[in-house]
Amino acid sequence: MASQLRQQCLWEHVLPPSAPGTPLAGETTAEVCVIGAGITGLCAAIHLLEQGRTVVVIDANRVGHGGSGRNVGLVNAGTWIKPDDVEATLGPVQGARLNSVLGQAPAEVFAMIERHGIDCQARNEGTLHMAHNPAGVADLRARHAQWSRRGADVELLSGGRCEEYCGTDKVAAALLDRRAGTLNPMAYARGLAAVVERLGGRLFQQSAVTGLQREGFGWRAHTAAGSVLADKVVISTGAYTEGEWSVVRGNYFRGYYYQVASRPLEGAAAEGVLPHGQGSWDTRAVLSSIRRDSEGRLLLGSLGRVDNKPAWFIKAWADRIQRHYFPALGKVEWDMHWTGMLDFTPDHLMRLYEPAAGLVAVTGYNGRGNTTGTVVGRALAEFLLTDRAEDLPIPFSANKPVSVPGLRSAFYETGFSLYHAGQCLRVIL
């Protein structure tokens, strides 16, 4: 009998059930209020607590509910775009700084995990960016050359070495980035939350912010059942930002990313898939991500959403990708699927904001939240401590809302759905 395909996030499924979150009730005070218990907000809170500040973290849902706990789990270096393009957009000085900070970001993630003893199945084995056609090979050659000039530990694999690392002969070349790696993102987020509480921070969940206003020299964040009065505020809600109170709303457009996980796989064919432990993604415009988890499951993902699509569609897409890259696996039983949201910006670069004194915000990770969130959380905390904007990885942006963000989101989602339908019908791959 075929397995039933469940709508459930694997990363949460493999962890012990978390304790019910405590909602905020009544009034409380802190030196800093962090809105959003994802990777950015939790890392900011940890750094502030380590410097002796009092911190309250509030979240509309549960720790890891958003993109922080639902992503692919890649610990990537750099941005979505090439490092030369970053410097062309930001200028040589600021662009070089951002490339340097995010190039070293995986090391900061792994150091955070080790320093605090976070059990999140982290592996620092690198990642593989896989070329699906000749244009993809050219793209990887450019990325390899640009990162190599900056001293990064990257290698362009081809021939038998590429097939060995990827576990498929359908990839002409692959960029191995040894700086990078993988983890269970939900376990990472929960581990960070545990550190916050261990350091004396107060964490309130199921407490959506309904308003944020100036009060005296500070800020008051309101929820349905309480409020937090703080000297300073960090807004780190990303694509899950809700409510007109937020200064970042409208400065990005939402996208979606879905994943499908198999049951645990065994045998020589399964062990031949990404045998050295890297996570990977290909060079398609509508990419496919591929990785295995610590229990041998095969995880496939792509841009778009499947929480609104039937099981046959999801299975047909996953079968198509799996049979193209790894036909030796035979028939794979798909077990669960889940969809998360991303905050995109037109130039694929994040934005930092300081709309008023003592209020900072970030948006636009463009799918690179595990590493970017870790370093930006620390950077925002350091800014609140020192007021040194020049030390930020990227300058503060002016408030420049994205035009018709809802239409952009709908346009992209329609395109992704049509592309995936073409894959299911074997019209395209």
Side-chain angles (χ1 to χ4, degrees):
M1 179 181 295
S3 63
Q4 289 292 110
L5 187 61
R6 299 171 286 162
Q7 184 171 323
Q8 183 175 14
C9 179
L10 170 68
W11 306 125
E12 189 169 13
H13 169 74
V14 299
L15 296 176
S18 61
T22 302
L24 177 64
E27 296 185 2
T28 190
T29 61
E31 290 175 277
V32 182
C33 176
V34 176
I35 303 173
I39 291 171
T40 303
L42 295 169
C43 286
I46 288 170
H47 189 76
L48 290 163
L49 289 163
E50 289 177 331
Q51 299 303 310
R53 301 304 190 267
T54 58
V55 180
V56 167
V57 181
I58 50 179
D59 195 274
N61 292 285
R62 301 282 293 278
V63 169
H65 168 82
S68 291
R70 305 178 70 81
N71 65 70
V72 180
L74 300 180
V75 184
N76 279 321
T79 68
W80 183 263
I81 60 177
K82 300 181 186 71
D84 281 4
D85 294 337
V86 173
E87 294 182 19
T89 301
L90 298 178
V93 176
Q94 294 296 342
R97 175 166 177 75
L98 184 62
N99 283 328
S100 176
V101 169
L102 295 185
Q104 299 170 37
E108 186 162 336
V109 172
F110 294 121
M112 176 76 82
I113 290 167
E114 183 176 2
R115 181 159 61 95
H116 294 290
I118 298 173
D119 181 7
C120 58
Q121 300 86 58
R123 296 188 65 174
N124 191 189
E125 308 291 344
T127 55
L128 292 165
H129 195 177
M130 307 188 306
H132 76 292
N133 64 10
V137 174
D139 177 71
L140 294 187
R141 284 176 177 158
R143 291 176 184 271
H144 175 259
Q146 292 176 27
W147 277 118
S148 294
R149 290 200 307 269
R150 294 167 171 84
D153 189 3
V154 294
E155 179 183 356
L156 189 62
L157 308 178
S158 61
R161 189 163 166 80
C162 177
E163 184 173 346
E164 173 201 345
Y165 270 77
C166 297
T168 176
D169 60 3
K170 298 297 193 295
V171 176
L175 184 62
L176 171 61
D177 189 337
R178 293 188 179 87
R179 299 170 295 178
T182 58
L183 47 67
N184 175 329
M186 181 67 79
Y188 182 45
R190 286 189 186 176
L192 293 171
V195 175
V196 168
E197 295 190 304
R198 189 164 67 240
L199 293 173
R202 288 169 290 165
L203 173 60
F204 298 101
Q205 303 176 67
Q206 306 290 356
S207 302
V209 173
T210 57
L212 180 65
Q213 64 189 48
R214 266 288 191 190
E215 186 166 317
F217 294 103
W219 297 90
R220 186 176 293 276
H222 297 271
T223 69
S227 67
V228 180
L229 180 62
D231 299 330
K232 299 178 180 181
V233 173
V234 176
I235 300 175
S236 58
T237 47
Y240 290 79
T241 302
E242 297 287 352
E244 297 301 326
W245 61 268
S246 177
V247 294
V248 303
R249 189 173 174 86
N251 284 273
Y252 65 89
F253 62 98
R254 280 181 176 150
Y256 296 86
Y257 198 93
Y258 69 82
Q259 294 177 77
V260 186
S262 74
R263 291 182 174 181
L265 303 177
E266 298 179 343
E271 293 302 319
V273 175
L274 300 167
H276 298 289
Q278 289 82 21
S280 68
W281 70 102
D282 60 30
T283 54
R284 289 179 175 82
V286 185
L287 63 85
S288 297
S289 61
I290 307 167
R291 64 163 295 190
R292 298 179 70 201
D293 77 342
S294 61
E295 298 179 3
R297 296 176 180 85
L298 177 64
L299 281 69
L300 305 177
S302 189
L303 292 160
R305 63 188 301 184
V306 294
D307 55 340
N308 59 355
K309 294 181 174 63
W312 67 262
F313 182 99
I314 303 169
K315 289 182 178 181
W317 176 84
D319 285 342
R320 176 72 161 133
I321 302 302
Q322 173 256 311
R323 290 169 184 169
H324 172 73
Y325 283 121
F326 310 110
L329 290 176
K331 181 173 177 55
V332 169
E333 293 293 332
W334 302 107
D335 189 25
M336 63 188 76
H337 70 89
W338 65 101
T339 298
M341 292 192 295
L342 303 86
D343 44 342
F344 286 117
T345 54
D347 61 6
H348 304 295
L349 293 174
M350 67 177 174
R351 307 280 193 270
L352 301 182
Y353 303 96
E354 188 192 23
L359 177 62
V360 293
V362 59
T363 192
Y365 286 166
N366 295 276
R368 295 278 174 127
N370 293 323
T371 42
T372 311
T374 299
V375 299
V376 168
R378 172 183 53 77
L380 291 178
E382 288 181 349
F383 171 75
L384 293 182
L385 292 167
T386 66
D387 203 33
R388 289 177 54 85
E390 61 270 27
D391 292 339
L392 291 167
I394 190 171
F396 284 123
S397 300
N399 185 41
K400 294 181 179 179
V402 174
S403 61
V404 291
L407 288 178
R408 282 177 181 257
S409 297
F411 175 79
Y412 275 85
E413 179 56 30
T414 299
F416 296 152
S417 294
L418 289 173
Y419 187 90
H420 296 137
Q423 290 179 309
C424 292
L425 295 171
R426 295 179 177 271
V427 176
I428 56 176
L429 179 59

